[in-house]
């Protein structure tokens, strides 16, 4: 594999070591932030507090989604069965997918990245939302359509089917998942929290969360100039602090590094990036973008055309 040229075996082994408490702490932190955002909004008694609450909640929904990715690669604990159970209960099921279903889709993506056999790429390439460059007004309209739930519906219609796909589901698993949703619904109904479920979970999920997932998908494999000569046809984005805090958590921005060394857990990706950037061959072929709202935005508008922002309007 080409990635073996970049990193010595001993150093790679160090970076692949699991520290389960870091994943557990990240997951706990995400849920506590969501709980705090809901509590603060409810305590304020003002609708003015709802928008910042949605921003925070959708950002943490994305954070939880990135941890599904960690569970799918067995980057939590060595016990795979335990890892899947924890991942389902606290990350995948709340977002209406399963760890194993996500794994099947995601491993195909790794094996056949950016080809017709890549289920993620095949579902997106050639569609209006994923064709670049885009004029600024079209890009803005796409994002607004996500916030309004229109594009979110289209993505959910195909995405949830792909990510929930699992052959010969055991009856016990199906029953446990169904019981999970029924128990949550009954508990919330008993506590009078159905309205809160809609306001603080479902509405952020079908609007801002899906918009974030769209930008993340674009950032990872689209609008990359000279893709055939770039490593893995994949981009790493170095985000601004506020971008990382709100929308790009748990080092998910280091996507190129993850494609090269998928067994490195998220908390070691910055160290992996630093090691790889020392290698001239890596720096030459890596696609590194600085900022989502700055560098990525410019590449989506002007990619492959040599045009400036004025031409993209």
């Amino acid at each position: 594999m080409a990635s073996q040229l970049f990193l010595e075996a001993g150093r790679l082994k160090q970076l692949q070591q699991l520290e389960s408490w870091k994943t557990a702490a990240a997951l706990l932190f995400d849920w506590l932030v969501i709980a705090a955002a809901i509590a603060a909004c409810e305590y304020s008694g003002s609708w003015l507090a709802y928008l910042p609450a949605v921003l925070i909640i959708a950002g943490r929904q994305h954070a939880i989604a990135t941890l599904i990715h960690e569970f799918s690669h067995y980057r939590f604990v060595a016990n795979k069965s335990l890892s899947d159970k924890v991942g389902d209960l606290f990350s995948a099921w709340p977002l209406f997918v399963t760890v194993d279903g996500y794994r099947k889709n995601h491993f195909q993506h790794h094996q056949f990245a950016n080809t017709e056999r890549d289920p993620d790429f095949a579902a997106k390439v050639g569609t209006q939302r994923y064709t670049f460059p885009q004029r600024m007004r079209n890009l803005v309209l796409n994002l607004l359509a996500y916030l309004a739930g229109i594009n979110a519906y289209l993505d959910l219609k195909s995405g949830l089917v792909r990510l929930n796909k699992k052959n010969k589901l055991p009856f016990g698993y199906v029953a446990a998942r169904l019981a999970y949703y029924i128990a949550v619904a009954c508990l919330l109904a008993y506590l009078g929290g159905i309205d809160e479920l809609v306001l603080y979970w479902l509405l952020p999920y079908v609007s801002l969360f899906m918009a974030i997932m769209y930008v993340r998908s674009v950032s990872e494999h689209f609008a990359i100039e000279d893709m055939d000569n770039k490593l893995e046809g994949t981009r790493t984005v170095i985000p601004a602090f506020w971008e990382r805090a709100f929308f790009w958590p748990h080092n998910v921005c280091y996507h190129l590094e993850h494609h090269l060394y998928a067994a490195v857990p998220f908390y070691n990706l910055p160290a992996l990036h630093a090691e790889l950037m020392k290698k001239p061959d890596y720096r030459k072929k890596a696609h590194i973008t600085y900022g989502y709202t700055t560098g990525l935005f410019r590449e989506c508008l002007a990619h492959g055309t040599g045009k400036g922002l004025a031409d993209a309007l």
Side-chain angles (χ1 to χ4, degrees), residues 73-182:
H73 282 280
Y74 301 111
R75 297 296 82 200
F76 177 46
V77 292
N79 186 320
K80 293 181 178 180
S81 177
L82 174 62
S83 180
D84 277 7
K85 286 182 173 64
V86 173
D88 274 334
L89 284 170
F90 298 105
S91 60
W93 288 357
L95 294 173
F96 311 109
V97 297
T98 69
V99 170
D100 192 69
Y102 179 90
R103 180 183 294 122
K104 283 180 168 60
N105 181 87
H106 186 63
F107 279 20
Q108 271 192 279
H109 164 66
H110 270 275
Q111 188 175 1
F112 305 109
N114 300 339
T115 70
E116 61 183 14
R117 298 180 68 183
D118 173 353
D120 290 335
F121 189 76
K124 297 166 184 173
V125 69
T127 64
Q128 186 275 332
R129 298 194 302 283
Y130 288 92
T131 299
F132 298 92
Q134 289 188 16
R135 292 182 177 275
M136 185 181 292
R137 61 174 173 268
N138 292 340
L139 189 58
V140 171
L141 285 173
N142 275 331
L143 291 171
L144 289 175
Y146 273 101
L147 295 178
I150 300 168
N151 283 347
Y153 168 76
L154 297 175
D155 283 356
L156 288 169
K157 185 179 177 181
S158 63
L160 287 183
V161 172
R162 285 201 321 278
L163 298 180
N164 279 299
K165 187 176 182 181
K166 186 176 178 180
N167 296 325
K168 297 182 180 178
L169 282 164
F171 174 78
Y173 182 90
V174 175
R177 189 181 181 194
L178 180 61
Y180 173 91
Y181 291 126
I182 292 173

Side-chain angles (χ1 to χ4, degrees), residues 25-35 59-67 249-250:
L27 191 56
L28 177 61
F29 174 79
D30 294 335
W31 282 110
L32 288 176
V33 170
I34 289 171
R60 288 304 103 185
Q61 286 177 328
H62 179 223
I64 292 168
T66 69
L67 295 178
H250 307 326

